[in-house]
Amino acid sequence: MTSQQTGSPHQFPTGSDAFPHRHLLGIAGLQPWEILFLLEEAKQWVDLNRKSSKHADRLDGLTVINAFFENSTRTLLSFEIAGKRMGADVVNMHAAQSSIKKGETLIDTAMTLNAMKADAIVIRHGSSGAVQLIADKVDCPVLNAGDGSHEHPTQALLDALTIQRRKGDISGLTVTICGDVKHSRVARSNIYCLTTLGAKVKVCAPPSLLPAALDRFNVEVFTDFDQALEGSDVVMMLRLQNERMNGNFIPSPREYHYLYGLTRERLARASDNALVMHPGPMNRGVEIDSDVADDPDRSAIIEQVEMGVAVRMACLDILTRESRGVEGWS
Amino acid sequence: MKRIFTNARVILPNEDQPKTGSLNVDGDRIAAADDEPGEEIDCKGRILAPGIVDLGVFAIDKPAFRFGGITRAALMPDQSPVLDLPAMIKQSAAEGKPDLWSHPIAAATIGLEGRHMAEIGLMKRSGAKAVATGRQWIADSGTMLRLLQYCKSLDLPLIVHSEDAGLTHGAVATNSETATRLGLASAPPAAEAISIARDIALVRETGGHVHFRQVTTLDGLDLIRAAKKEKLPVTCGITPAHLLLSDIAISDFRTFTRLSPPLRSEDNRLACLEAVKDGTIDVISSGHDPRGPEDKRLPYAEAAPGMAGAETLLALSLTLVRDGTISTGRLFELLSANPAQILGVEAGRLQSGYEADFILIDEDSPWQVDTRKMAAAAGNTPFDGLPVQGRVTAIYKGGRAY
């Protein structure tokens, strides 16, 4: 499975040179070898997670706070499990039960979390740039678990790891991303990640859900899904948020399905054995048909979830190496 | 009591370059040059320019205005409460005196909600020199038509914000690569031209005077250029931010760059400079809107728009002279004479009989914009750290030094 490009660890720069960043706020700006290093590090955790005893002690005694200002089930769970498997004490803070509801500003909340001496803070927020705003104010590493329409870096990393495992080298693959690109942080992070790793990326969306100036992102832009699928090795579907379906951006879910839904028939336009991905949760029958989503030979959707835990374990490990005094990192 | 301000480089009406000489002041008025003796005040070779008339500020912020050489400020109706009643206009007009004259602008509609006309006639009697739609446009063209007819009959200019809210609703940036990278909601720049085109059509219909407070796009400026050629009563303004910064400045989510209208592409910025040069733009103003951390230390989309612009207005505008875009004389038409004329006040020009509102400027004096050290009520400037040149060394309002 390991290809030449992904390489073995000794090909990466040593110590913190392999990933010289304090936070993980986005994929934009990362070097290809930095992304590959994170993926390489994640592989050991994939193996651990498949054992019956899934415990590592690297983060023993460390406190990880998951501060989620926007509702999330799977990402929060994934980060919580990742932290716990690494031995950290994990605390979850939900917006619904936080003082945000009482009018406290984001900065005040950040300062409060900081005063509690977290060793890493994982943040999800509904507003683009909010995670960076907090990262600038706290003393520990910050992981972006999704901010507005900006970035969702661990999602792109878990997607890349999934693709690597199923397709080998990402360089040279053709990946089609389809859906609400305009509002999607998953799309942005994946565009950066995949183009940085040398994939050819095609992006497809209804014209009302395409962001401005997408042609400046080193991708091919389509509004016709059938055309966008031609020759694709990977088809990455995005979730269509319910609030976009009410006539403001698209006329109706059934029209969306007609034009942009991934059906078995449509998938035939892609390469043989093209891989189907979705960040979840899916709107079955809207952006993706069940028989495609549930086809174990074609769909990697469940594997994506599995890779998510491993990737997040790797990120927590790497970002805390400096504070843990790991040789070469402090 | 007559005073003669000697050894100055005086900015005289209709002159491109400062003229070495003196200015006579009698009481609170500028007096004609004559040979009669008076108290002499040596200006040490400084530029003596008309006090800046800042058209469309959002707060009366005297320390910032004094630093910036602003002697009169027209206050936008977007206050809390909104300036939509005669009593508020009256009270606001008295604020700031004697060293600063505030000219409150009447809200065009009650609560600036764009529906019911406010008592414009009564507000004029209370001292309103202009009417404005506030931070937003008025979507209903019928309301806009009647407003313009009404303003025309009262001989008041209508100051408008030019963004079609159907396009810009929820947007915090202009459509661009930067906005897409940052994941910020953005709107096409055409939102500006669409609203300008409609309002020009209504000017043609009514003959009322519309002042487009900030025009920031090539297409919008082209429309105004054509309307002026047609001799329609339209004027327009801009702030230094749109002349000196493009949308790339919003990278890094710095909320001090969150403005309304948003910073535009480099093409549009260059078109704005051209429009200053060719006379399409009539006014440069500060758009002064000091905002503290409660409004700005927030995620970009949640931050309030606006910049503290009063104290950087002159120094930033002087860069246009230094880089050869405009002459010093033309700069003070943009900063003082034209805004005073739009408001219909006898100020903004060093002309005999006018209010003796003037400033002395050391145009080469260097300083650095520093958000932490500003005189303004808040330091929200997108120009933080920028080295600039030009300082006001003295400010006179109605002939008195402050």
Side-chain angles (χ1 to χ4, degrees), chain A residues 107 127-128 188 192 212 216, chain B residues 177 180-181 183 252 297 302:
Chain A
I107 297 281
S127 201
S128 301
R188 283 174 180 75
Y192 300 135
R216 304 289 296 272
Chain B
E177 181 184 345
T180 298
R181 282 195 190 280
D252 233 25
R297 236 162 63 168
E302 294 166 27

Side-chain angles (χ1 to χ4, degrees), chain A residues 105-108 125-130 132-133 137 147-151 182 188 192 211-214 216-217, chain B residues 174-186 251-255 293-294 296-302:
Chain A
T105 69
L106 190 56
I107 297 281
D108 290 337
H125 196 284
S127 201
S128 301
Q132 183 178 320
L133 188 68
K137 297 287 169 197
D147 64 325
S149 306
H150 178 224
E151 284 237 39
K182 189 186 186 91
R188 283 174 180 75
Y192 300 135
L214 203 55
R216 304 289 296 272
F217 286 67
Chain B
T174 198
N175 272 358
S176 66
E177 181 184 345
T178 312
T180 298
R181 282 195 190 280
L182 297 179
L184 294 175
S186 62
S251 304
D252 233 25
F253 298 106
R254 197 155 166 73
T255 57
E294 67 282 5
K296 285 293 191 182
R297 236 162 63 168
L298 294 169
Y300 199 88
E302 294 166 27

Side-chain angles (χ1 to χ4, degrees), chain A residues 75-125:
Chain A
T75 306
L76 177 59
L77 204 55
S78 181
F79 268 108
E80 183 175 0
I81 290 171
K84 285 182 171 162
R85 287 201 181 146
M86 296 298 277
D89 299 314
V90 180
V91 187
N92 294 335
M93 191 201 82
H94 302 269
Q97 63 197 47
S98 79
S99 44
I100 292 296
K101 285 265 153 92
K102 299 174 195 157
E104 186 178 74
T105 69
L106 190 56
I107 297 281
D108 290 337
T109 307
M111 299 311 283
T112 304
L113 296 179
N114 195 47
M116 292 176 185
K117 308 292 178 211
D119 297 289
I121 304 179
V122 178
I123 301 165
R124 165 165 291 192
H125 196 284

Side-chain angles (χ1 to χ4, degrees), chain B residues 266-285:
Chain B
E266 183 65 6
D267 289 2
N268 283 309
R269 185 184 80 86
L270 295 174
C272 292
L273 281 174
E274 187 54 39
V276 165
K277 198 172 183 174
D278 73 12
T280 304
I281 289 177
D282 305 277
V283 173
I284 300 180
S285 61

